[in-house]
Amino acid sequence: MMNKNALEEEALDWVIRLGDPGFADWDALTAWLAVSPDHARVFNALQLAEADVLEDIAEEAPDTPPVAVEPVQPVSNDNPSQARRFWPMGLAAGVAALVAVGVWWASAREDAGAPWQEYRTADGARRELRLADGTQVRMNGGTVLRVDPSGRGAQLLSGEALFEVRHDAAHPFTVTAGEATITDLGTRFDVTSAEGRVTVGVAEGSVALAGKGEERVELTAGQGGELSGSRLRAFEVAPGSVAAWTEGRLSYEDAPVEQVMADVRRATGLRLTPGPVPGGRFTGTIGLDGPPEALRAKLVLLLGAAEEEGTAN
């Protein structure tokens, strides 16, 4: 078992590396987080500490629109409120490093005229963003998101995010994902961008979904939309199933098994591959709570899946 100081130093190293816009070692980070619940607990605690430092810096610079970041759920089942109180004395150097990251972040915004900020989550990790205009964004695992410092726009480069938008008719909130543009008309909606397909689900209010051309569809609560290539379509969804991953479950109706596996990996970090019979479909609800090994065994049975080689235990 790794001693406490060594674990804290490794976790701090990952947090600092995540501050690099060019960070791409997501598989290694996911494997490190999966080693034990202590890894996830310390890592999430340090991310919270980093968020506090950045928020303090933003408050010191009132002319800079603040974007506060907090993970909403640790990778493990530890209590987030306990993690927030985690400030080991052995991390004095680490706190100094986090402050340095925050100073770099603030100066970069000033030097570049407040550029869009990029945030990333590893598979199985989540973050919550509170934008300058009051809009809230919840990032699922395996997600890359850029945020307009004005708080009225975002770019979903990959993954999934739930948007709870403060409506402003004079300044519509817009999300771009792939070739799709989603314009808020006063709503709570979820967007997924994966493998050239953008999917939107509306829980409250309405959005307009458009591709590169002039065609667009307006979606209201209980509707979803998809842009795949140049094909734009709308369909019915259960409002309660929109962003169900935020409540620890995933719901489907005749969905490709490969899509379900991709969603599971984002939400939990568990990696599965299709079984011997390709092209399977799945209908039902999957609960994501419980020990990883029990969840993996359940998914293998439900989806006819196989464990991916190299999956961390």
Side-chain angles (χ1 to χ4, degrees):
M1 178 181 295
M2 183 180 299
N3 66 52
K4 181 179 179 182
N5 289 339
L7 176 57
E8 291 168 356
E9 289 176 3
E10 286 194 6
L12 178 62
D13 179 64
W14 280 114
V15 171
I16 293 174
R17 289 173 63 187
L18 278 171
D20 180 358
F23 180 82
D25 203 3
W26 295 103
D27 286 342
L29 174 56
T30 300
W32 185 86
L33 289 169
V35 169
S36 79
D38 285 340
H39 283 219
R41 176 178 60 82
V42 175
F43 176 80
N44 280 286
L46 285 174
Q47 282 198 311
L48 286 169
E50 180 190 35
D52 287 340
V53 170
L54 296 183
E55 189 168 359
D56 289 342
I57 291 171
E59 289 175 356
E60 291 295 323
D63 293 335
T64 301
V67 179
V69 183
E70 296 185 12
V72 295
Q73 177 177 319
V75 177
S76 69
N77 289 326
D78 293 306
N79 187 333
S81 62
Q82 293 177 347
R84 176 170 278 281
R85 294 194 296 268
F86 179 76
W87 278 91
M89 294 302 293
L91 283 181
V95 173
L98 291 176
V99 172
V101 171
V103 170
W104 168 84
W105 173 84
S107 62
R109 288 171 63 88
E110 182 177 355
D111 293 343
W116 288 42
Q117 297 300 305
E118 183 171 298
Y119 302 99
R120 296 172 177 251
T121 56
D123 290 330
R126 300 178 188 174
R127 283 185 175 180
E128 181 174 326
L129 312 183
R130 186 175 62 255
L131 307 190
D133 71 331
T135 291
Q136 292 189 338
V137 184
R138 294 187 182 186
M139 298 172 61
N140 200 354
T143 296
V144 182
L145 182 76
R146 290 178 181 162
V147 176
D148 185 338
S150 73
R152 299 307 294 174
Q155 298 173 346
L156 182 63
L157 302 185
S158 62
E160 182 173 16
L162 172 67
F163 298 85
E164 298 183 47
V165 176
R166 184 190 67 77
H167 185 57
D168 181 350
H171 304 91
F173 187 93
T174 300
V175 179
T176 58
E179 301 294 336
T181 300
I182 303 103
T183 304
D184 159 60
L185 303 177
T187 191
R188 181 174 182 264
F189 60 98
D190 186 82
V191 183
T192 304
S193 179
E195 298 181 353
R197 184 180 68 252
V198 175
T199 306
V200 180
V202 182
E204 299 174 7
S206 60
V207 302
L209 170 63
K212 292 191 69 174
E214 296 183 1
E215 183 183 7
R216 76 176 215 165
V217 293
E218 186 170 320
L219 308 171
T220 58
Q223 290 187 308
E226 179 183 83
L227 178 67
S228 180
S230 60
R231 182 170 178 261
L232 185 64
R233 70 184 184 96
F235 50 88
E236 299 298 315
V237 298
S241 70
V242 175
W245 55 268
T246 64
E247 300 174 357
R249 58 187 172 84
L250 299 172
S251 297
Y252 301 95
E253 182 174 347
D254 194 34
V257 166
E258 290 81 359
Q259 175 191 333
V260 178
M261 292 179 182
D263 292 346
V264 167
R265 177 169 181 170
R266 269 197 305 272
T268 69
L270 295 177
R271 309 178 205 178
L272 301 169
T273 56
V277 181
R281 316 285 295 186
F282 178 78
T283 296
T285 297
I286 299 172
L288 302 177
D289 296 330
E293 290 304 320
L295 177 58
R296 181 183 289 115
K298 177 172 68 174
L299 291 168
V300 168
L301 291 174
L302 286 175
L303 305 176
E307 184 176 338
E308 182 175 297
E309 292 185 8
T311 299
N313 294 316

